[in-house]
Amino acid sequence: MSMVRVERPEAGIAVVTLDRPERLNALSFELVDDLHAALDEVGADNSVRVAVLTGAGRGFCSGLDLRGIGPSSVSAGLRPPAGGMRSQAHIADLGPHLRRIPQPVIAAINGPAFGGGLALACACDLRIAVRSARLSVQAVKLGVSGCEMGVSYTLPRLIGGSRAHELMITGREFDAVEAERMGLVARVVDDGEALDAALETARTLLSYSPFGLAMTKEVMWANLDAPSFEYAVHLENRTQILAGTSGDIIEAAKAFAEGRPPIWGS
């Protein structure tokens, strides 16, 4: 039985749910495998235009399962350190995998997001958290580095280097209100409302051109690493002209003139 559920509650939207509620959706290797498979499924489904990532029960993801992560599916037959490196890379690729799929991913943080859970949220494109959510980089408290699963890349880019370094090196917990204040989450909602709020945002995104939305995700992530202002603008320019060839801008102008919502192509 899969530890990750993929549901399609509405046309164009997929909800990916980490489903180990009894462990606050802690990361075992089985869950990691299932999440990779779920992201492959969603990424290849052209009928899905927006995805939501959330957790079952009262937690988003509590990080690595310290009671027993289980055997890795990718390290069979390998001795240390090769087996450990292969397994670590398999876990850590979840963040880049979230970035690679063409659909924007909204993290509906419905409870604790610790360690790898926070890293998953940071790899999403938008984050919405319930008021009671607690977050922490955490790993530095466990005898390993606080830099894991891409958080040392994503977190400084989301909230700035100084604040991100403080969170990584201290591993302190912080709440959703502070997360919103520092710019990590876009919105704080009442407990139990994270998924509804994420679906509301997803519906807004569905009203936009499919190609334009996918290109916005692609370019905004690519330009986090732009070597210069000019480089970033060149990529934007090429993408705008490419998007213009879809005909969506003509439909947008026509719909505006006629006072109706646009009808987008696939």
Side-chain angles (χ1 to χ4, degrees), residues 131-252:
R131 201 167 302 280
S132 66
R134 304 288 295 180
L135 306 94
S136 172
V137 176
Q138 183 170 303
V140 72
K141 300 178 181 178
L142 306 176
V144 292
S145 169
C147 303
E148 64 166 349
M149 292 182 64
V151 74
S152 63
Y153 176 91
T154 55
L155 195 58
R157 285 162 171 79
L158 293 171
I159 65 173
S162 178
R163 181 57 61 84
H165 291 174
E166 182 258 331
L167 294 176
M168 284 187 281
I169 207 163
T170 67
R172 71 173 178 85
E173 291 186 22
F174 55 101
D175 61 21
V177 173
E178 183 178 357
E180 182 182 35
R181 187 166 63 245
M182 67 176 68
L184 180 57
V185 302
R187 185 177 169 192
V188 175
V189 297
D190 290 337
D191 289 5
E193 295 183 3
L195 181 56
D196 287 342
L199 291 173
E200 178 185 355
T201 299
R203 293 183 198 107
T204 297
L205 300 186
L206 287 178
S207 70
Y208 305 145
S209 155
F211 188 71
L213 188 62
M215 288 297 97
T216 299
K217 172 174 178 169
E218 184 174 305
V219 173
M220 73 183 191
W221 278 102
N223 276 347
L224 283 181
D225 295 324
S228 69
F229 185 24
E230 289 78 8
Y231 181 98
V233 172
H234 286 321
L235 180 57
E236 289 177 348
N237 289 345
R238 283 158 177 74
T239 305
Q240 292 297 66
I241 296 303
L242 180 62
T245 65
S246 70
D248 286 341
I249 193 170
I250 297 173
E251 167 59 15

Side-chain angles (χ1 to χ4, degrees), residues 8 30 36-37 80 85 88 98 115 134 161 165 180 192 197 213 231 247:
R8 293 164 176 79
E30 185 178 352
H36 275 302
M85 288 295 293
Q88 178 65 30
L98 284 161
R134 304 288 295 180
H165 291 174
E180 182 182 35
L213 188 62
Y231 181 98

